Amino acid sequence: MGSNCSLHLAWPEGKHLRNDVEVRWSKYGLKFTGGEIICANQKGTVLPATRQPLEEGWKRLEGMASGDRRHGKEPAAVEEDNFPEGLRVLAVDDDRVCLRVLEAVLRECKYKPTGVMDGRTALKLLREKGEDHFDLVITDVHMPDMDGFQLLELIGLEMDLPVIMLSVNGEKATMYKGIKHGACDYIVKPADIKEIRNIWQHVVRKNHVAVIHNRSDSDDADQRVARPVIGKGGAKSKKCSKKKRNDGEGSDDDKRGRRRNTWKKPRVSWTGELHNRFLEVVYRLGVDRAVPKAILEMMNVHNLSRENVASHLQKYRLFLKRVTDDPMKPNHMGDSSESRRNASYMGMSHQGVLPSSALCPCGSHNLNAAPPSILGPHGLSIQPRNWAMSTVGNGGLMPDTGSRHASGPPVGLFANTSDQPMQDAFPRIHFRSGKAYHSVLRQKLMEVNTSVVPSSHPGTSSVAAEMPNGGQLEPANQFLVQPREQIGHFSGPMGMAPSAMGTHGDTQLPYLAGNCTNPWQNNVAPSSFAGSMVGAPLLPSSQVNVNLPQINQTIFAPSSSEMAVFQNEQQNQMAGTNINNTTSVDIYSQQMTPLFNMASNAAPVEMTNANFSPMNQMMVNGGSTSSPSLNLQAGNPVAPPAQMANGGGSSSSALPGHLDSSVVPPAQMVNGGGSSSSSLPSHLGSSVALQTQMLNGGEGASGILPVQDDPARWHDSDHQPTYSTSNFLEDIFASMASQDFNPDALW
DNA sequence: ACGGAAATAT
DNA sequence: GATATTTCCG
């Protein structure tokens, strides 16, 4: 057949790096030159032999059109004469052009092709027609919706058809993955027609070997598939040195039962739920004792491995450390890189993912007890291949940083949060250095945890979290930050992390903000707050939706004299920044803390706009004030009361008392995205700029803007009031009262 | 088993 | 390109 015919034409130049003589596999620098294989990782680092499981198989691949890699055999030397014409080949590719070419080539090679555009259609076809209807399947691996790997798995589970995968870049890992998923062979695009012509051998062999399979019976598909690849070559010895994993040595692995097939472990998605559980356990154990094994046991999540936990713990520690170490650096609004970095850890703080029911979770519940149903039967959520694209679940905490998130449906952010992977951005916290590591960690933990999220309401579509806002406020998030030192008493976050708090009475709060001077700009966002942001749609630093202006402000708590200063500074800054809507939210976002302002009367509303970011306000109390009544304004429902607490040394009692008066926040809410009409209150409209306000202890005096709010607006029909005030309050209080404030009660 | 770090998957 | 997870290794 026209050997001239080549699939080369079907694929765009640049994607592949293969030519007849030398092969440069892929974008990661894997090279295949003159019989010698050089393996490099994504960064161009040459990998040691140990990391080259396919080495041998790879070599073999060169030279042979196809082979039965699945069984680790050399391709049967089949006589051309045996070529069975008319084999029915199902070709799957989402690219029409490629598919056409493939079909043409197959036809050219005397096969009888049937092409389908995507994986799902292919699977459907296979199910409808039955496996007997086809002799072979050849599929591209990179397809949306259902990629080749998924298709491979499903086909493998449901039928016994040889499947050959096509990979665009020829990356070893991809090939290997395909083999592990059951592909009997792989062909790198652009594929030479000779390879296509030889695929019939798989069919022949399959029929042949059917018997041979007896052995595979016990092994699951997994094993049978991969092993071959590795063990194949004779020469491999050296390379396999480390490889031992699969080779005989596996004793170690075997013992642990780890030997599991070569199947790769499914990727675990650390959803907000899962992460929250993790945090709880960590808190319970205490930083010192929080080691992977113990955490794993306490988490009691099915299918979660120690390694998974260790990895997450590693990341968490890294987060804590970063927080600790990072000197506050003033950041300018524009410091995107910085914010980005932080973003990666954001998720580490407690996610607001918990459903309201779960609100209390924190500490008080015994984790060991039944895990929240949210986690699902297994508790674990494995990421679907494409999850990243669609979800971001940040517990609401994090705003999406990535653009990709933007695309995601804002809606239901909260609602789904629990199962969504959390975005990992940790809020940045700055601690003062100098403390003992543990001590710092402890603090951090507390902080971090604090945030709890109010529940998510399913109904809401929008991103935003619920913000109850009391009637009055709409201030955007205001955080009160206390001066570092003063932060000492944290009352406990409202929502959650009670436990942590409880534990350390003395603990000081980490200080969230850096210095007074730069309160906002710094990323100082208090972690705890961050957590709290929860509901709100926090916009995380990076970006939020453009449209929405969000504003979060941090407020320092002023207990001390610093307050004054602080305020001034803020004001100044504000002035500078003032609100442009859209503008960088970054600055603010990190600091967002939800505030609770509970207005007594106002019903909290959930602000749902996706873009909307609620403003949270933390209440701080400056020194003195105390207002008698509680007023929680609606910032974030979640905001833990504790935080509100007071700044200065005030008593831990922090609660509500202070809140009210002290805060004066007028923040602005913006609504983003979407329509302006959105749920926000009218004033909030996107166009509205917010003002920042600080809360200061005393009256709003300090220069801050008064808030004006019309509670009524929140009730607009447009709004979806999801959270009822009463409930909201109840939750809050309940948590405050029972948990948060009572440390001992918790764990 | 741990924890750090490299590798690899998204 | 940057992150998130997994895997390897001392």
Side-chain angles (χ1 to χ4, degrees):
Chain A
M1 337 238 62
S3 51
N4 314 326
C5 210
S6 168
L7 292 179
H8 276 256
L9 301 177
W11 286 280
E13 290 289 330
K15 270 285 190 175
H16 40 276
L17 304 164
R18 176 178 180 174
N19 56 44
D20 296 337
V21 186
E22 293 188 346
V23 183
R24 269 163 238 80
W25 306 84
S26 112
K27 60 184 181 182
Y28 296 136
L30 182 64
K31 298 176 182 177
F32 192 110
T33 310
E36 182 181 12
I37 295 176
I38 298 172
C39 191
N41 63 16
Q42 295 177 344
K43 297 186 175 178
T45 305
V46 173
L47 304 178
T50 14
R51 289 277 189 175
Q52 302 179 44
L54 288 181
E55 192 82 43
E56 296 307 316
W58 217 239
K59 287 183 178 177
R60 283 169 180 282
L61 185 57
E62 240 263 310
M64 59 184 161
S66 63
D68 189 340
R69 297 177 178 82
R70 165 142 61 162
H71 300 294
K73 300 189 170 193
E74 290 292 334
V78 191
E79 301 295 313
E80 279 285 326
D81 317 336
N82 298 325
F83 179 80
E85 276 190 31
L87 286 181
R88 298 155 300 177
V89 179
L90 178 62
V92 186
D93 198 327
D94 63 315
D95 182 309
R96 289 174 188 283
V97 177
C98 292
L99 186 60
R100 288 286 164 64
V101 175
L102 185 55
E103 289 186 86
V105 174
L106 288 169
R107 203 166 285 119
E108 174 73 17
C109 294
K110 306 297 188 211
Y111 292 107
K112 183 180 175 186
T114 295
V116 298
M117 289 296 291
D118 57 74
R120 283 187 193 293
T121 305
L123 188 62
K124 184 179 176 187
L125 189 62
L126 285 168
R127 287 171 172 165
E128 292 177 347
K129 302 273 187 176
E131 63 181 292
D132 296 332
H133 193 79
F134 297 99
D135 296 303
L136 182 69
V137 177
I138 183 168
T139 179
D140 180 28
V141 291
H142 298 296
M143 299 185 289
D145 198 26
M146 179 185 282
D147 65 27
F149 302 114
Q150 291 174 288
L151 184 60
L152 274 166
E153 290 177 11
L154 293 170
I155 290 176
L157 287 172
E158 305 175 22
M159 49 199 92
D160 185 26
L161 273 176
V163 181
I164 292 173
M165 53 178 282
L166 289 169
S167 168
V168 179
N169 61 28
E171 184 192 353
K172 268 193 193 176
T174 302
M175 303 307 193
Y176 190 46
K177 182 177 177 181
I179 295 296
K180 287 195 292 184
H181 283 240
C184 65
D185 200 357
Y186 44 82
I187 290 177
V188 178
K189 293 193 286 185
D192 188 276
I193 192 170
K194 287 180 286 186
E195 292 185 275
I196 299 295
R197 197 169 45 184
N198 288 325
I199 60 177
W200 63 275
Q201 296 180 15
H202 291 293
V203 180
V204 173
R205 183 165 305 106
K206 170 199 160 194
N207 297 329
H208 253 287
V209 193
V211 185
I212 299 178
H213 271 244
N214 19 330
R215 50 118 185 195
S216 62
D217 39 320
S218 57
D219 319 344
D220 289 335
D222 341 337
Q223 299 195 336
R224 69 182 163 185
V225 179
R227 178 164 311 155
V229 177
I230 298 173
K232 261 187 195 181
K236 71 299 204 122
S237 52
K238 56 179 176 187
K239 315 215 159 189
C240 298
S241 55
K242 293 265 175 155
K243 259 288 38 310
K244 70 261 189 135
R245 247 189 189 218
N246 295 310
D247 291 349
E249 330 201 17
S251 57
D252 204 296
D253 293 359
D254 290 340
K255 290 181 190 172
R256 309 177 206 177
R258 174 179 170 181
R259 143 10 177 311
R260 85 250 274 154
N261 339 324
T262 30
W263 280 85
K264 186 165 195 174
K265 201 196 252 190
R267 193 178 174 95
V268 171
S269 174
W270 283 87
T271 60
E273 265 312 296
L274 199 56
H275 178 61
N276 280 346
R277 187 175 282 189
F278 165 85
L279 289 178
E280 293 184 24
V281 171
V282 171
Y283 297 143
R284 291 175 85 173
L285 290 171
V287 185
D288 314 323
R289 283 171 297 171
V291 292
K293 189 178 180 184
I295 295 171
L296 178 63
E297 292 172 351
M298 289 186 73
M299 284 180 73
N300 189 31
V301 174
H302 185 42
N303 279 337
L304 189 65
S305 70
R306 189 178 59 74
E307 287 79 11
N308 292 140
V309 173
S311 174
H312 196 65
L313 179 62
Q314 179 182 41
K315 183 182 172 186
Y316 184 61
R317 284 172 171 159
L318 214 54
F319 155 68
L320 295 178
K321 184 166 187 278
R322 177 171 290 171
V323 172
T324 305
D325 300 344
D326 262 352
M328 313 190 79
K329 76 198 241 179
N331 73 25
H332 299 300
M333 299 180 67
D335 186 346
S336 57
S337 62
E338 180 72 36
S339 50
R340 264 179 225 163
R341 270 200 313 144
N342 296 336
S344 6
Y345 298 93
M346 284 180 107
M348 287 320 227
S349 47
H350 211 102
Q351 302 266 315
V353 202
L354 300 178
S356 49
S357 53
L359 257 179
C360 0
C362 295
S364 45
H365 301 300
N366 179 335
L367 296 179
N368 293 318
S373 54
I374 311 172
L375 293 177
H378 296 265
L380 243 190
S381 91
I382 304 293
Q383 297 180 359
R385 299 197 158 117
N386 305 321
W387 71 269
M389 314 267 312
S390 46
T391 43
V392 171
N394 33 23
L397 295 181
M398 346 241 349
D400 289 344
T401 27
S403 51
R404 58 183 180 186
H405 298 305
S407 58
V411 178
L413 222 172
F414 286 93
N416 305 323
T417 33
S418 355
D419 7 21
Q420 308 206 323
M422 68 182 220
Q423 186 164 6
D424 269 317
F426 296 94
R428 213 190 210 201
I429 302 172
H430 293 276
F431 283 88
R432 88 140 137 343
S433 48
K435 293 189 177 183
Y437 183 68
H438 282 303
S439 162
V440 175
L441 291 181
R442 218 170 263 281
Q443 286 191 357
K444 299 209 165 190
L445 289 176
M446 292 181 48
E447 289 184 352
V448 176
N449 232 358
T450 9
S451 35
V452 173
V453 176
S455 54
S456 43
H457 291 281
T460 11
S461 50
S462 65
V463 176
E466 321 180 334
M467 305 179 64
N469 69 21
Q472 0 190 28
L473 52 15
E474 5 188 355
N477 316 297
Q478 306 189 350
F479 291 83
L480 296 181
V481 178
Q482 301 184 351
R484 322 172 168 189
E485 322 259 72
Q486 319 212 353
I487 300 183
H489 307 291
F490 203 71
S491 316
M494 294 190 152
M496 313 221 19
S499 48
M501 310 205 54
T503 320
H504 333 316
D506 52 322
T507 39
Q508 304 185 351
L509 291 186
Y511 47 107
L512 306 172
N515 30 31
C516 302
T517 350
N518 251 315
W520 330 64
Q521 314 227 347
N522 285 311
N523 311 293
V524 191
S527 49
S528 32
F529 296 33
S532 340
M533 314 234 7
V534 174
L538 317 167
L539 316 175
S541 33
S542 352
Q543 64 267 343
V544 179
N545 296 294
V546 186
N547 305 323
L548 312 184
Q550 309 176 341
I551 303 181
N552 299 306
Q553 305 190 348
T554 309
I555 297 180
F556 272 65
S559 44
S560 53
S561 51
E562 297 186 39
M563 222 356 204
V565 175
F566 192 64
Q567 293 181 355
N568 293 333
E569 301 223 3
Q570 288 196 358
Q571 294 183 0
N572 294 334
Q573 294 191 357
M574 289 296 296
T577 36
N578 238 341
I579 328 186
N580 298 307
N581 336 332
T582 347
T583 328
S584 44
V585 178
D586 291 352
I587 301 175
Y588 304 103
S589 47
Q590 294 194 359
Q591 329 198 354
M592 307 176 93
T593 308
L595 168 42
F596 260 80
N597 280 316
M598 301 174 66
S600 29
N601 42 7
V605 177
E606 187 171 330
M607 319 247 317
T608 30
N609 275 328
N611 305 312
F612 178 66
S613 52
M615 319 160 150
N616 303 303
Q617 307 187 343
M618 284 218 15
M619 311 226 34
V620 173
N621 54 39
S624 45
T625 5
S626 41
S627 30
S629 49
L630 321 171
N631 249 326
L632 294 181
Q633 295 200 358
N636 248 322
V638 184
Q643 307 191 346
M644 306 192 73
N646 41 323
S650 19
S651 51
S652 50
S653 59
L655 298 182
H658 321 21
L659 301 179
D660 49 326
S661 49
S662 35
V663 179
V664 178
Q668 23 178 103
M669 308 196 66
V670 173
N671 69 39
S675 41
S676 43
S677 56
S678 49
S679 26
L680 302 180
S682 49
H683 23 334
L684 299 182
S686 47
S687 45
V688 179
L690 304 183
Q691 328 204 356
T692 326
Q693 10 330 71
M694 313 185 59
L695 306 182
N696 50 29
E699 341 194 55
S702 15
I704 300 180
L705 309 177
V707 176
Q708 33 177 354
D709 212 43
D710 181 333
R713 295 178 184 186
W714 293 88
H715 299 290
D716 288 0
S717 54
D718 292 351
H719 266 332
Q720 306 182 13
T722 25
Y723 207 43
S724 69
T725 311
S726 58
N727 291 329
F728 173 65
L729 294 175
E730 284 182 34
D731 287 345
I732 296 172
F733 290 130
S735 57
M736 291 165 74
S738 53
Q739 305 180 7
D740 301 341
F741 296 97
N742 185 346
D744 299 327
L746 301 180
W747 325 7

